[in-house]
Short mmCIF file of all heavy atoms in Angstrom, two decimals:
data_model
loop_
_atom_site.label_atom_id
_atom_site.label_comp_id
_atom_site.label_asym_id
_atom_site.label_seq_id
_atom_site.Cartn_x
_atom_site.Cartn_y
_atom_site.Cartn_z
N MET R 266 0.84 -1.21 0.00
CA MET R 266 0.00 0.00 0.00
C MET R 266 0.87 1.26 0.00
O MET R 266 1.86 1.33 0.72
CB MET R 266 -0.88 -0.02 1.26
CG MET R 266 -2.00 1.00 1.21
SD MET R 266 -2.99 0.91 2.73
CE MET R 266 -3.02 2.63 3.18
N THR R 267 0.50 2.22 -0.82
CA THR R 267 1.29 3.44 -0.89
C THR R 267 0.61 4.57 -0.11
O THR R 267 -0.61 4.62 -0.04
CB THR R 267 1.48 3.91 -2.35
OG1 THR R 267 0.20 4.06 -2.95
CG2 THR R 267 2.28 2.90 -3.14
N THR R 268 1.43 5.40 0.49
CA THR R 268 0.94 6.58 1.22
C THR R 268 0.57 7.66 0.22
O THR R 268 1.36 7.94 -0.68
CB THR R 268 2.01 7.11 2.17
OG1 THR R 268 2.52 6.02 2.91
CG2 THR R 268 1.47 8.18 3.09
N PRO R 269 -0.63 8.26 0.35
CA PRO R 269 -0.98 9.36 -0.56
C PRO R 269 -0.02 10.54 -0.40
O PRO R 269 0.36 10.86 0.73
CB PRO R 269 -2.39 9.76 -0.15
CG PRO R 269 -2.83 8.80 0.87
CD PRO R 269 -1.64 8.04 1.36
N THR R 270 0.37 11.15 -1.51
CA THR R 270 1.28 12.28 -1.44
C THR R 270 0.70 13.49 -2.16
O THR R 270 -0.16 13.35 -3.02
CB THR R 270 2.64 11.95 -2.09
OG1 THR R 270 2.40 11.58 -3.44
CG2 THR R 270 3.37 10.86 -1.35
N ARG R 271 1.19 14.64 -1.78
CA ARG R 271 0.80 15.87 -2.44
C ARG R 271 2.08 16.55 -2.88
O ARG R 271 3.03 16.67 -2.11
CB ARG R 271 0.04 16.77 -1.46
CG ARG R 271 -0.61 17.99 -2.09
CD ARG R 271 -1.68 18.53 -1.15
NE ARG R 271 -1.10 19.05 0.07
CZ ARG R 271 -0.76 20.33 0.25
NH1 ARG R 271 -0.95 21.20 -0.71
NH2 ARG R 271 -0.23 20.73 1.37
N MET R 272 2.10 16.98 -4.14
CA MET R 272 3.30 17.60 -4.68
C MET R 272 3.35 19.07 -4.26
O MET R 272 2.45 19.83 -4.57
CB MET R 272 3.25 17.47 -6.19
CG MET R 272 4.56 17.18 -6.88
SD MET R 272 5.71 16.10 -6.06
CE MET R 272 5.42 14.59 -6.96
N GLU R 273 4.42 19.43 -3.57
CA GLU R 273 4.65 20.83 -3.21
C GLU R 273 5.56 21.47 -4.26
O GLU R 273 6.50 20.83 -4.74
CB GLU R 273 5.34 20.93 -1.85
CG GLU R 273 4.55 20.35 -0.70
CD GLU R 273 3.48 21.32 -0.20
OE1 GLU R 273 3.79 22.51 -0.08
OE2 GLU R 273 2.36 20.85 0.06
N ILE R 274 5.26 22.72 -4.59
CA ILE R 274 6.12 23.44 -5.54
C ILE R 274 6.66 24.69 -4.85
O ILE R 274 5.90 25.49 -4.34
CB ILE R 274 5.34 23.83 -6.82
CG1 ILE R 274 4.85 22.56 -7.51
CG2 ILE R 274 6.21 24.66 -7.74
CD1 ILE R 274 4.02 22.83 -8.74
N GLN R 275 7.97 24.78 -4.81
CA GLN R 275 8.61 25.88 -4.09
C GLN R 275 9.58 26.63 -4.98
O GLN R 275 10.39 26.02 -5.68
CB GLN R 275 9.35 25.30 -2.88
CG GLN R 275 9.79 26.35 -1.89
CD GLN R 275 10.31 25.73 -0.60
OE1 GLN R 275 10.92 24.65 -0.63
NE2 GLN R 275 10.09 26.40 0.52
N ILE R 276 9.48 27.95 -4.94
CA ILE R 276 10.42 28.78 -5.70
C ILE R 276 11.79 28.71 -5.02
O ILE R 276 11.90 28.87 -3.82
CB ILE R 276 9.91 30.24 -5.75
CG1 ILE R 276 8.59 30.30 -6.53
CG2 ILE R 276 10.95 31.16 -6.40
CD1 ILE R 276 7.84 31.61 -6.35
N THR R 277 12.81 28.45 -5.82
CA THR R 277 14.14 28.20 -5.24
C THR R 277 15.19 29.22 -5.66
O THR R 277 16.34 29.09 -5.28
CB THR R 277 14.63 26.81 -5.66
OG1 THR R 277 14.62 26.73 -7.08
CG2 THR R 277 13.77 25.72 -5.08
N GLY R 278 14.80 30.21 -6.44
CA GLY R 278 15.82 31.15 -6.88
C GLY R 278 15.23 32.48 -7.26
O GLY R 278 14.04 32.73 -7.07
N ILE R 279 16.08 33.33 -7.84
CA ILE R 279 15.69 34.68 -8.23
C ILE R 279 15.00 34.63 -9.59
O ILE R 279 15.39 33.85 -10.45
CB ILE R 279 16.93 35.60 -8.34
CG1 ILE R 279 17.72 35.55 -7.04
CG2 ILE R 279 16.53 37.03 -8.68
CD1 ILE R 279 19.14 36.10 -7.20
N ARG R 280 13.99 35.48 -9.75
CA ARG R 280 13.34 35.60 -11.06
C ARG R 280 14.33 36.21 -12.05
O ARG R 280 15.01 37.18 -11.75
CB ARG R 280 12.11 36.49 -10.92
CG ARG R 280 11.37 36.67 -12.24
CD ARG R 280 10.11 37.47 -12.03
NE ARG R 280 9.14 36.70 -11.26
CZ ARG R 280 8.05 37.22 -10.70
NH1 ARG R 280 7.82 38.50 -10.82
NH2 ARG R 280 7.22 36.48 -10.02
N LYS R 281 14.40 35.59 -13.25
CA LYS R 281 15.32 36.07 -14.28
C LYS R 281 14.53 36.59 -15.47
O LYS R 281 13.41 36.16 -15.72
CB LYS R 281 16.22 34.92 -14.77
CG LYS R 281 17.09 34.33 -13.68
CD LYS R 281 18.35 35.12 -13.48
CE LYS R 281 19.30 34.36 -12.56
NZ LYS R 281 20.54 35.08 -12.37
N HIS R 282 15.15 37.51 -16.21
CA HIS R 282 14.52 38.11 -17.37
C HIS R 282 15.28 37.73 -18.63
O HIS R 282 16.50 37.83 -18.67
CB HIS R 282 14.50 39.63 -17.21
CG HIS R 282 13.76 40.07 -15.98
ND1 HIS R 282 12.44 40.45 -16.01
CD2 HIS R 282 14.15 40.13 -14.69
CE1 HIS R 282 12.05 40.74 -14.78
NE2 HIS R 282 13.06 40.57 -13.96
N VAL R 283 14.52 37.28 -19.65
CA VAL R 283 15.13 36.80 -20.89
C VAL R 283 14.37 37.42 -22.06
O VAL R 283 13.14 37.51 -22.03
CB VAL R 283 15.03 35.26 -21.00
CG1 VAL R 283 15.68 34.78 -22.29
CG2 VAL R 283 15.65 34.58 -19.80
N ALA R 284 15.10 37.85 -23.10
CA ALA R 284 14.47 38.34 -24.33
C ALA R 284 14.65 37.29 -25.42
O ALA R 284 15.66 36.59 -25.45
CB ALA R 284 15.07 39.65 -24.76
N GLU R 285 13.64 37.19 -26.29
CA GLU R 285 13.70 36.24 -27.40
C GLU R 285 13.29 36.95 -28.68
O GLU R 285 12.31 37.70 -28.68
CB GLU R 285 12.74 35.08 -27.11
CG GLU R 285 12.71 34.04 -28.21
CD GLU R 285 11.63 32.99 -27.97
OE1 GLU R 285 10.85 33.14 -27.03
OE2 GLU R 285 11.57 32.03 -28.77
N CYS R 286 14.02 36.69 -29.74
CA CYS R 286 13.65 37.24 -31.05
C CYS R 286 12.68 36.28 -31.73
O CYS R 286 13.00 35.12 -31.91
CB CYS R 286 14.88 37.46 -31.92
SG CYS R 286 14.47 38.09 -33.56
N VAL R 287 11.47 36.77 -32.04
CA VAL R 287 10.45 35.92 -32.67
C VAL R 287 10.17 36.36 -34.10
O VAL R 287 9.17 35.97 -34.70
CB VAL R 287 9.14 35.89 -31.84
CG1 VAL R 287 9.39 35.25 -30.49
CG2 VAL R 287 8.55 37.29 -31.68
N THR R 288 11.05 37.20 -34.65
CA THR R 288 10.89 37.66 -36.03
C THR R 288 10.94 36.48 -36.99
O THR R 288 11.82 35.62 -36.88
CB THR R 288 12.03 38.64 -36.39
OG1 THR R 288 12.10 39.65 -35.40
CG2 THR R 288 11.81 39.25 -37.76
N GLU R 289 9.97 36.44 -37.90
CA GLU R 289 9.95 35.34 -38.87
C GLU R 289 10.61 35.76 -40.16
O GLU R 289 10.33 36.82 -40.71
CB GLU R 289 8.50 34.90 -39.15
CG GLU R 289 7.92 34.12 -38.00
CD GLU R 289 6.63 33.39 -38.38
OE1 GLU R 289 6.29 33.33 -39.58
OE2 GLU R 289 5.95 32.90 -37.46
N THR R 290 11.54 34.93 -40.62
CA THR R 290 12.15 35.14 -41.93
C THR R 290 12.00 33.83 -42.71
O THR R 290 12.38 32.77 -42.21
CB THR R 290 13.64 35.51 -41.81
OG1 THR R 290 14.27 34.58 -40.93
CG2 THR R 290 13.83 36.91 -41.27
N ALA R 291 11.41 33.91 -43.91
CA ALA R 291 11.15 32.73 -44.74
C ALA R 291 10.34 31.69 -43.96
O ALA R 291 10.62 30.49 -43.99
CB ALA R 291 12.45 32.12 -45.25
N GLY R 292 9.32 32.18 -43.18
CA GLY R 292 8.41 31.28 -42.48
C GLY R 292 8.97 30.62 -41.24
O GLY R 292 8.36 29.75 -40.66
N LYS R 293 10.17 31.05 -40.83
CA LYS R 293 10.82 30.42 -39.68
C LYS R 293 11.22 31.48 -38.67
O LYS R 293 11.86 32.47 -39.04
CB LYS R 293 12.05 29.64 -40.17
CG LYS R 293 12.62 28.69 -39.18
CD LYS R 293 13.58 27.71 -39.90
CE LYS R 293 14.52 27.06 -38.91
NZ LYS R 293 15.76 27.84 -38.71
N ALA R 294 10.85 31.29 -37.38
CA ALA R 294 11.19 32.26 -36.35
C ALA R 294 12.68 32.22 -36.07
O ALA R 294 13.30 31.17 -36.07
CB ALA R 294 10.41 31.98 -35.08
N CYS R 295 13.24 33.42 -35.83
CA CYS R 295 14.68 33.53 -35.55
C CYS R 295 15.03 32.71 -34.30
O CYS R 295 15.93 31.89 -34.33
CB CYS R 295 15.03 35.00 -35.37
SG CYS R 295 16.72 35.30 -34.81
N GLY R 296 14.29 32.97 -33.19
CA GLY R 296 14.44 32.13 -32.00
C GLY R 296 15.66 32.37 -31.14
O GLY R 296 15.85 31.68 -30.15
N VAL R 297 16.48 33.36 -31.47
CA VAL R 297 17.67 33.64 -30.66
C VAL R 297 17.24 34.22 -29.30
O VAL R 297 16.35 35.05 -29.24
CB VAL R 297 18.61 34.63 -31.40
CG1 VAL R 297 19.75 35.07 -30.50
CG2 VAL R 297 19.14 33.98 -32.65
N ARG R 298 17.87 33.74 -28.24
CA ARG R 298 17.55 34.21 -26.90
C ARG R 298 18.74 34.94 -26.28
O ARG R 298 19.90 34.58 -26.53
CB ARG R 298 17.21 33.02 -25.99
CG ARG R 298 15.81 32.49 -26.22
CD ARG R 298 15.52 31.34 -25.29
NE ARG R 298 14.10 31.25 -25.00
CZ ARG R 298 13.58 31.23 -23.77
NH1 ARG R 298 14.36 31.26 -22.72
NH2 ARG R 298 12.28 31.16 -23.60
N SER R 299 18.42 35.92 -25.46
CA SER R 299 19.47 36.63 -24.73
C SER R 299 19.90 35.79 -23.54
O SER R 299 19.34 34.74 -23.25
CB SER R 299 18.93 37.97 -24.23
OG SER R 299 18.02 37.76 -23.17
N SER R 300 20.90 36.29 -22.82
CA SER R 300 21.23 35.69 -21.52
C SER R 300 20.08 35.95 -20.56
O SER R 300 19.20 36.75 -20.84
CB SER R 300 22.50 36.33 -20.96
OG SER R 300 23.53 36.27 -21.91
N ALA R 301 20.09 35.30 -19.40
CA ALA R 301 19.11 35.54 -18.35
C ALA R 301 19.69 36.53 -17.35
O ALA R 301 20.78 36.31 -16.82
CB ALA R 301 18.74 34.24 -17.67
N TRP R 302 18.95 37.63 -17.12
CA TRP R 302 19.44 38.68 -16.22
C TRP R 302 18.52 38.87 -15.03
O TRP R 302 17.32 38.61 -15.12
CB TRP R 302 19.56 40.00 -16.97
CG TRP R 302 20.68 40.06 -17.94
CD1 TRP R 302 22.00 40.01 -17.65
CD2 TRP R 302 20.58 40.17 -19.37
NE1 TRP R 302 22.74 40.10 -18.82
CE2 TRP R 302 21.90 40.20 -19.87
CE3 TRP R 302 19.51 40.27 -20.26
CZ2 TRP R 302 22.18 40.30 -21.22
CZ3 TRP R 302 19.78 40.37 -21.61
CH2 TRP R 302 21.10 40.40 -22.08
N ASP R 303 19.09 39.36 -13.94
CA ASP R 303 18.30 39.65 -12.73
C ASP R 303 17.39 40.86 -12.93
O ASP R 303 16.37 40.99 -12.25
CB ASP R 303 19.22 39.94 -11.53
CG ASP R 303 20.00 38.70 -11.11
OD1 ASP R 303 19.67 37.61 -11.60
OD2 ASP R 303 20.92 38.84 -10.29
N SER R 304 17.78 41.74 -13.83
CA SER R 304 17.03 42.99 -14.04
C SER R 304 16.52 43.04 -15.48
O SER R 304 17.22 42.63 -16.40
CB SER R 304 17.94 44.18 -13.77
OG SER R 304 17.57 45.27 -14.59
N PRO R 305 15.28 43.56 -15.69
CA PRO R 305 14.74 43.60 -17.05
C PRO R 305 15.34 44.70 -17.91
O PRO R 305 15.13 44.71 -19.13
CB PRO R 305 13.24 43.87 -16.81
CG PRO R 305 13.18 44.56 -15.49
CD PRO R 305 14.33 44.02 -14.67
N THR R 306 16.09 45.64 -17.30
CA THR R 306 16.56 46.79 -18.09
C THR R 306 17.54 46.38 -19.18
O THR R 306 17.63 47.05 -20.21
CB THR R 306 17.24 47.83 -17.17
OG1 THR R 306 18.27 47.18 -16.44
CG2 THR R 306 16.25 48.46 -16.20
N GLN R 307 18.27 45.28 -18.98
CA GLN R 307 19.26 44.88 -19.97
C GLN R 307 18.64 44.23 -21.20
O GLN R 307 19.29 44.09 -22.22
CB GLN R 307 20.28 43.94 -19.34
CG GLN R 307 21.09 44.65 -18.28
CD GLN R 307 22.08 43.72 -17.61
OE1 GLN R 307 23.14 43.45 -18.16
NE2 GLN R 307 21.76 43.23 -16.44
N LEU R 308 17.34 43.86 -21.08
CA LEU R 308 16.67 43.25 -22.24
C LEU R 308 16.61 44.22 -23.40
O LEU R 308 16.84 43.85 -24.54
CB LEU R 308 15.26 42.82 -21.85
CG LEU R 308 15.12 41.74 -20.79
CD1 LEU R 308 13.66 41.40 -20.61
CD2 LEU R 308 15.93 40.52 -21.13
N ASN R 309 16.28 45.49 -23.11
CA ASN R 309 16.16 46.48 -24.19
C ASN R 309 17.49 46.68 -24.91
O ASN R 309 17.51 46.83 -26.13
CB ASN R 309 15.63 47.80 -23.64
CG ASN R 309 14.15 47.72 -23.29
OD1 ASN R 309 13.48 46.75 -23.62
ND2 ASN R 309 13.67 48.73 -22.61
N ASN R 310 18.59 46.68 -24.16
CA ASN R 310 19.91 46.81 -24.80
C ASN R 310 20.18 45.64 -25.72
O ASN R 310 20.67 45.82 -26.84
CB ASN R 310 21.01 46.87 -23.72
CG ASN R 310 20.97 48.16 -22.92
OD1 ASN R 310 20.42 49.17 -23.39
ND2 ASN R 310 21.50 48.12 -21.72
N TRP R 311 19.87 44.44 -25.25
CA TRP R 311 20.09 43.24 -26.07
C TRP R 311 19.24 43.31 -27.33
O TRP R 311 19.71 43.02 -28.43
CB TRP R 311 19.76 41.98 -25.26
CG TRP R 311 20.01 40.72 -26.05
CD1 TRP R 311 21.18 40.04 -26.15
CD2 TRP R 311 19.06 40.04 -26.87
NE1 TRP R 311 21.01 38.96 -26.99
CE2 TRP R 311 19.73 38.92 -27.45
CE3 TRP R 311 17.71 40.24 -27.19
CZ2 TRP R 311 19.09 38.03 -28.30
CZ3 TRP R 311 17.08 39.35 -28.05
CH2 TRP R 311 17.77 38.26 -28.60
N ILE R 312 17.98 43.73 -27.18
CA ILE R 312 17.05 43.81 -28.32
C ILE R 312 17.56 44.84 -29.33
O ILE R 312 17.59 44.58 -30.54
CB ILE R 312 15.62 44.15 -27.85
CG1 ILE R 312 15.02 42.95 -27.11
CG2 ILE R 312 14.74 44.56 -29.03
CD1 ILE R 312 13.72 43.25 -26.38
N ARG R 313 18.00 46.01 -28.84
CA ARG R 313 18.53 47.05 -29.75
C ARG R 313 19.74 46.54 -30.53
O ARG R 313 19.85 46.76 -31.74
CB ARG R 313 18.92 48.29 -28.95
CG ARG R 313 17.75 49.13 -28.55
CD ARG R 313 18.17 50.53 -28.11
NE ARG R 313 17.06 51.18 -27.44
CZ ARG R 313 16.90 51.16 -26.12
NH1 ARG R 313 17.77 50.56 -25.33
NH2 ARG R 313 15.85 51.75 -25.56
N THR R 314 20.64 45.85 -29.82
CA THR R 314 21.84 45.32 -30.47
C THR R 314 21.49 44.30 -31.53
O THR R 314 21.99 44.33 -32.65
CB THR R 314 22.77 44.67 -29.41
OG1 THR R 314 23.05 45.65 -28.41
CG2 THR R 314 24.06 44.19 -30.04
N HIS R 315 20.56 43.37 -31.18
CA HIS R 315 20.17 42.33 -32.13
C HIS R 315 19.45 42.96 -33.33
O HIS R 315 19.67 42.56 -34.47
CB HIS R 315 19.27 41.31 -31.43
CG HIS R 315 18.92 40.13 -32.29
ND1 HIS R 315 19.80 39.10 -32.54
CD2 HIS R 315 17.77 39.82 -32.98
CE1 HIS R 315 19.21 38.21 -33.33
NE2 HIS R 315 17.99 38.62 -33.61
N ALA R 316 18.61 43.96 -33.08
CA ALA R 316 17.87 44.62 -34.15
C ALA R 316 18.83 45.37 -35.09
O ALA R 316 18.66 45.33 -36.31
CB ALA R 316 16.84 45.58 -33.56
N ASP R 317 19.84 46.04 -34.50
CA ASP R 317 20.85 46.73 -35.31
C ASP R 317 21.57 45.77 -36.23
O ASP R 317 21.82 46.04 -37.39
CB ASP R 317 21.90 47.37 -34.38
CG ASP R 317 21.53 48.80 -34.01
OD1 ASP R 317 20.53 49.31 -34.59
OD2 ASP R 317 22.21 49.38 -33.16
N LYS R 318 21.93 44.61 -35.69
CA LYS R 318 22.74 43.63 -36.39
C LYS R 318 21.96 42.90 -37.49
O LYS R 318 22.50 42.59 -38.55
CB LYS R 318 23.26 42.61 -35.37
CG LYS R 318 24.58 41.96 -35.70
CD LYS R 318 25.24 41.34 -34.46
CE LYS R 318 24.32 40.39 -33.72
NZ LYS R 318 24.97 39.82 -32.51
N THR R 319 20.66 42.62 -37.22
CA THR R 319 19.91 41.72 -38.08
C THR R 319 18.74 42.39 -38.81
O THR R 319 18.22 41.84 -39.78
CB THR R 319 19.31 40.57 -37.25
OG1 THR R 319 18.43 41.13 -36.29
CG2 THR R 319 20.40 39.76 -36.56
N GLY R 320 18.27 43.56 -38.30
CA GLY R 320 17.07 44.17 -38.86
C GLY R 320 15.79 43.51 -38.37
O GLY R 320 14.70 43.84 -38.84
N HIS R 321 15.89 42.58 -37.43
CA HIS R 321 14.71 41.89 -36.90
C HIS R 321 13.89 42.84 -36.03
O HIS R 321 14.44 43.68 -35.31
CB HIS R 321 15.12 40.64 -36.11
CG HIS R 321 15.69 39.57 -36.98
ND1 HIS R 321 16.29 38.44 -36.48
CD2 HIS R 321 15.74 39.47 -38.34
CE1 HIS R 321 16.68 37.67 -37.51
NE2 HIS R 321 16.37 38.28 -38.63
N THR R 322 12.55 42.67 -36.06
CA THR R 322 11.67 43.68 -35.45
C THR R 322 10.71 43.14 -34.39
O THR R 322 10.01 43.92 -33.75
CB THR R 322 10.81 44.35 -36.55
OG1 THR R 322 10.13 43.33 -37.28
CG2 THR R 322 11.68 45.17 -37.51
N LYS R 323 10.60 41.82 -34.21
CA LYS R 323 9.62 41.28 -33.26
C LYS R 323 10.30 40.47 -32.16
O LYS R 323 11.08 39.56 -32.44
CB LYS R 323 8.59 40.40 -33.98
CG LYS R 323 7.66 41.20 -34.85
CD LYS R 323 6.51 40.35 -35.37
CE LYS R 323 5.53 41.20 -36.16
NZ LYS R 323 4.44 40.40 -36.75
N TYR R 324 9.93 40.80 -30.93
CA TYR R 324 10.59 40.19 -29.76
C TYR R 324 9.58 39.83 -28.69
O TYR R 324 8.47 40.39 -28.67
CB TYR R 324 11.63 41.16 -29.18
CG TYR R 324 12.71 41.50 -30.18
CD1 TYR R 324 12.53 42.53 -31.09
CD2 TYR R 324 13.87 40.76 -30.24
CE1 TYR R 324 13.50 42.82 -32.04
CE2 TYR R 324 14.85 41.03 -31.17
CZ TYR R 324 14.65 42.07 -32.07
OH TYR R 324 15.61 42.35 -33.00
N LYS R 325 9.97 38.93 -27.81
CA LYS R 325 9.19 38.63 -26.61
C LYS R 325 10.10 38.75 -25.41
O LYS R 325 11.26 38.37 -25.45
CB LYS R 325 8.62 37.21 -26.65
CG LYS R 325 7.28 37.12 -27.36
CD LYS R 325 6.69 35.75 -27.23
CE LYS R 325 5.40 35.66 -28.05
NZ LYS R 325 4.93 34.27 -28.17
N LYS R 326 9.51 39.26 -24.32
CA LYS R 326 10.23 39.30 -23.05
C LYS R 326 9.65 38.23 -22.14
O LYS R 326 8.42 38.17 -21.96
CB LYS R 326 10.10 40.67 -22.39
CG LYS R 326 10.80 41.78 -23.16
CD LYS R 326 10.56 43.10 -22.50
CE LYS R 326 11.34 44.20 -23.22
NZ LYS R 326 11.11 45.53 -22.60
N HIS R 327 10.50 37.40 -21.58
CA HIS R 327 10.07 36.33 -20.69
C HIS R 327 10.62 36.56 -19.29
O HIS R 327 11.69 37.15 -19.11
CB HIS R 327 10.63 34.98 -21.15
CG HIS R 327 10.25 34.58 -22.53
ND1 HIS R 327 9.05 33.97 -22.83
CD2 HIS R 327 10.90 34.72 -23.71
CE1 HIS R 327 9.01 33.74 -24.13
NE2 HIS R 327 10.10 34.18 -24.69
N THR R 328 9.91 36.04 -18.30
CA THR R 328 10.53 35.91 -16.98
C THR R 328 10.57 34.43 -16.63
O THR R 328 9.69 33.66 -17.00
CB THR R 328 9.73 36.65 -15.87
OG1 THR R 328 8.38 36.18 -15.88
CG2 THR R 328 9.76 38.15 -16.08
N GLU R 329 11.64 34.04 -15.96
CA GLU R 329 11.84 32.64 -15.56
C GLU R 329 12.02 32.58 -14.06
O GLU R 329 12.70 33.43 -13.47
CB GLU R 329 13.09 32.06 -16.20
CG GLU R 329 13.03 31.99 -17.70
CD GLU R 329 14.30 31.38 -18.30
OE1 GLU R 329 15.32 31.31 -17.59
OE2 GLU R 329 14.26 31.00 -19.48
N GLU R 330 11.42 31.57 -13.43
CA GLU R 330 11.57 31.39 -11.99
C GLU R 330 11.84 29.93 -11.73
O GLU R 330 11.03 29.07 -12.08
CB GLU R 330 10.25 31.79 -11.31
CG GLU R 330 10.43 32.64 -10.11
CD GLU R 330 9.10 33.26 -9.68
OE1 GLU R 330 8.05 32.63 -9.89
OE2 GLU R 330 9.13 34.35 -9.13
N PRO R 331 13.00 29.59 -11.14
CA PRO R 331 13.28 28.19 -10.87
C PRO R 331 12.43 27.69 -9.71
O PRO R 331 12.28 28.38 -8.70
CB PRO R 331 14.77 28.17 -10.49
CG PRO R 331 15.07 29.57 -10.06
CD PRO R 331 14.10 30.48 -10.73
N VAL R 332 11.86 26.51 -9.86
CA VAL R 332 11.09 25.88 -8.78
C VAL R 332 11.50 24.44 -8.62
O VAL R 332 11.99 23.80 -9.54
CB VAL R 332 9.56 25.94 -9.05
CG1 VAL R 332 9.07 27.36 -9.14
CG2 VAL R 332 9.18 25.15 -10.28
N ASN R 333 11.33 23.93 -7.40
CA ASN R 333 11.52 22.52 -7.11
C ASN R 333 10.20 21.90 -6.69
O ASN R 333 9.36 22.56 -6.10
CB ASN R 333 12.51 22.33 -5.95
CG ASN R 333 13.96 22.50 -6.40
OD1 ASN R 333 14.23 22.79 -7.55
ND2 ASN R 333 14.86 22.33 -5.47
N THR R 334 10.04 20.63 -7.00
CA THR R 334 8.89 19.88 -6.48
C THR R 334 9.38 18.93 -5.39
O THR R 334 10.50 18.44 -5.45
CB THR R 334 8.21 19.05 -7.59
OG1 THR R 334 9.17 18.16 -8.13
CG2 THR R 334 7.63 19.93 -8.66
N SER R 335 8.53 18.71 -4.42
CA SER R 335 8.84 17.70 -3.42
C SER R 335 7.53 17.08 -2.94
O SER R 335 6.52 17.76 -2.80
CB SER R 335 9.60 18.32 -2.24
OG SER R 335 8.82 19.35 -1.65
N ALA R 336 7.55 15.80 -2.76
CA ALA R 336 6.35 15.08 -2.34
C ALA R 336 6.18 15.20 -0.83
O ALA R 336 7.10 14.89 -0.08
CB ALA R 336 6.45 13.63 -2.74
N LYS R 337 5.00 15.70 -0.41
CA LYS R 337 4.72 15.79 1.02
C LYS R 337 3.69 14.70 1.37
O LYS R 337 2.75 14.47 0.63
CB LYS R 337 4.12 17.18 1.33
CG LYS R 337 5.14 18.30 1.24
CD LYS R 337 5.74 18.52 2.61
CE LYS R 337 7.04 19.23 2.63
NZ LYS R 337 7.39 20.38 2.02
N ARG R 338 3.92 14.05 2.47
CA ARG R 338 2.97 13.03 2.92
C ARG R 338 1.67 13.73 3.36
O ARG R 338 1.73 14.71 4.12
CB ARG R 338 3.58 12.26 4.09
CG ARG R 338 2.85 10.95 4.36
CD ARG R 338 3.59 10.13 5.41
NE ARG R 338 4.87 9.65 4.88
CZ ARG R 338 5.85 9.18 5.67
NH1 ARG R 338 5.70 9.18 6.97
NH2 ARG R 338 6.96 8.74 5.13
N ALA R 339 0.56 13.23 2.87
CA ALA R 339 -0.74 13.81 3.24
C ALA R 339 -1.04 13.53 4.72
O ALA R 339 -0.68 12.47 5.23
CB ALA R 339 -1.84 13.23 2.37
N GLU R 340 -1.70 14.51 5.35
CA GLU R 340 -2.05 14.34 6.79
C GLU R 340 -3.19 13.36 6.93
O GLU R 340 -4.12 13.38 6.17
CB GLU R 340 -2.46 15.69 7.38
CG GLU R 340 -1.33 16.70 7.44
CD GLU R 340 -0.20 16.26 8.37
OE1 GLU R 340 -0.51 15.73 9.46
OE2 GLU R 340 0.98 16.42 7.99
ZN1 LIG C 101 16.48 37.66 -34.62
#
C-alpha cells in the first residue's frame, strides 16, 4: 500500500529576465535568446543590439523562476 502524497512546488531562486527574437524570416522564427538577467533593463539593450545587427523587429520578453517539487505526505 502506498501513502498518498501531495506535490509541493517551491520557488528556489531569483526571477530572471530573458528576451527572445520571434521575427519570422522565410516562415521560420529567428528564435535567438538573450542571456538571463536579474534585471529587465538589460533586455532592451540586447534587443537594440540584435535589431541593429539583423534588422529583426519582433521580440518577446520572458521571466523565468526556478522551482523545485517535493512530495509531502498527506495528513
Ligand atoms: Zn532575430
Side-chain angles (χ1 to χ4, degrees):
M266 193 180 131
T267 56
T268 310
T270 58
R271 189 162 66 93
M272 218 37 101
E273 298 280 317
I274 299 177
Q275 193 171 33
I276 296 166
T277 55
I279 306 164
R280 180 176 292 167
K281 299 277 190 178
H282 301 265
V283 181
E285 179 187 6
C286 179
V287 295
T288 309
E289 286 194 11
T290 49
K293 194 165 160 270
C295 173
V297 172
R298 282 181 152 233
S299 72
S300 307
W302 288 295
D303 293 349
S304 149
T306 55
Q307 294 178 80
L308 296 184
N309 287 350
N310 291 337
W311 181 88
I312 289 169
R313 282 196 194 94
T314 304
H315 186 77
D317 269 353
K318 208 161 54 181
T319 61
H321 292 171
T322 54
K323 289 189 176 177
Y324 299 86
K325 273 187 185 169
K326 293 177 176 179
H327 302 276
T328 56
E329 296 181 344
E330 225 167 31
V332 298
N333 282 2
T334 59
S335 59
K337 288 268 161 49
R338 196 173 291 165
E340 294 296 319

